[in-house]
Amino acid sequence: MPCAVEPHATQMRTRRGQSLALASDGDPTYIVRSGVLMLEISLPGAERQIAALFFPGDMLRASFAPPRSKASLLAASAGEVWRLRASMLDTLAAREPAVRGYVDRVLANRIALQALHATTLGQFDCEQKLATHLVEIALRAGAWQPAGAVSFDLPLSRKDIAHYLGLNPDTLSRVISRFKAKGLIKQFDRMRTLIPNFAALAACTPAASALIDLTGARQVPVPLEATA
Amino acid sequence: MPCAVEPHATQMRTRRGQSLALASDGDPTYIVRSGVLMLEISLPGAERQIAALFFPGDMLRASFAPPRSKASLLAASAGEVWRLRASMLDTLAAREPAVRGYVDRVLANRIALQALHATTLGQFDCEQKLATHLVEIALRAGAWQPAGAVSFDLPLSRKDIAHYLGLNPDTLSRVISRFKAKGLIKQFDRMRTLIPNFAALAACTPAASALIDLTGARQVPVPLEATA
DNA sequence: CGATGCCTTGAGTTTGATCAATGTAGGTGG
DNA sequence: CCACCTACATTGATCAAACTCAAGGCATCG
């Protein structure tokens, strides 16, 4: 999206589990090109929480993370990111309306997504939480297929998904098994996943339509009301 | 903070429970002067969630809320807000570096706070959740007193606090009673609250030091390590 | 081949939700 | 002033959803 940014950014390849610097000087700023980044918060005496996921097109700067406390930015999967200093992005934004618009849009979207995620964490039961996550991934990284099916690679490990959803990994594993038994998802291996009927899955979470709105809903093959 | 904004804003007084428009034209933008605003998300078939609280000095625009889905902005207590159109704020930000800096700072802070709140919702037990909320209020709206005490009015009703913390109102009531029994808080009536020993309360939540960092920690009378 | 990391599954326990009853403050009208 | 109503808060008894702990499966890698 922000083509004016490219010449000023450092290209980086990430590997699964790699940690990206948040604390270094110049308030580092990242734009995700492919793969998924996780913002991890580990507070003393509490389990870690994956506070946010960043998909291709998303931007984040170090000042988005709580300072001093143990926040870290991890690559969930292999991918590519652009890195630049915040001051450079600010300069570009002041000069180029397209960059300014991109930054503003991405920020507003992030806050809205976080509000939704707070609802997921605060109110949903474990099945709704998993359905929400699957819908989110399908919308951001899914390959749409005929008849309302979607396929994708789960970018996060079971443990990471659990910590993103505020669940215990054991519990999450059980919920996934239940979803498989109900035919809501099919798995070919740990990662490779197929949702045979997106609408049926979306019907499992109250957040589906809000997520569709927020992700720009590139394509949802079948209107939600049709099936499910 | 943003004095250049004042002449372009509409002054509004809020009453407890009042709803502020999010959907009207021009992407309405609010700056809180006094009192507290709540961003409420009510998804079909789920309990409502208070996704975020906005204290004096905070800013939010309608685009921060998930669109179409039922988000609303409510005044938790009587207060005063400035209202202006987003396009006006953007114009001012482009002209005045002070406004630009204010907007950027407030946004980054909001995202960091939301990350912390996600951790609170996802990992903390009910006592840690309440302690976190009390620390947050003490830092944002408390009157500091000698010997590490803080007093304030709880701006939210029990039900609102519960929905902010992802708890059941009954459960919250029990936790508050436990805190009173332990001497962590004293209440003179429903709202008026005193924390005799801030450090002891802060020791109940893993998020205390991160919150202190994020709120700018105007004054924390006694370093946390001293007591508790 | 064993070692390791990740995931799954069962048995038992606990935390917090639910339901229902009771208490309290503030407001209204007789 | 009292009776009454309503909204909000507290508290107890019961229950279930999710956590914990432990055992076992299944890949990958040296």
Side-chain angles (χ1 to χ4, degrees), chain B residues 6-31:
Chain B
E6 183 162 15
H8 301 93
T10 309
Q11 248 80 185
M12 299 176 61
R13 303 218 121 264
T14 59
R15 289 184 317 280
R16 153 154 184 72
Q18 182 181 346
S19 168
L20 306 187
L22 282 177
S24 75
D25 53 322
D27 189 17
T29 299
Y30 299 94
I31 294 175

Side-chain angles (χ1 to χ4, degrees), chain A residues 44-61:
Chain A
E47 268 286 8
R48 74 194 191 120
Q49 171 79 21
I50 307 295
L53 298 182
F54 296 87
F55 287 90
D58 287 344
M59 184 213 85
L60 80 158
R61 37 174 83 187

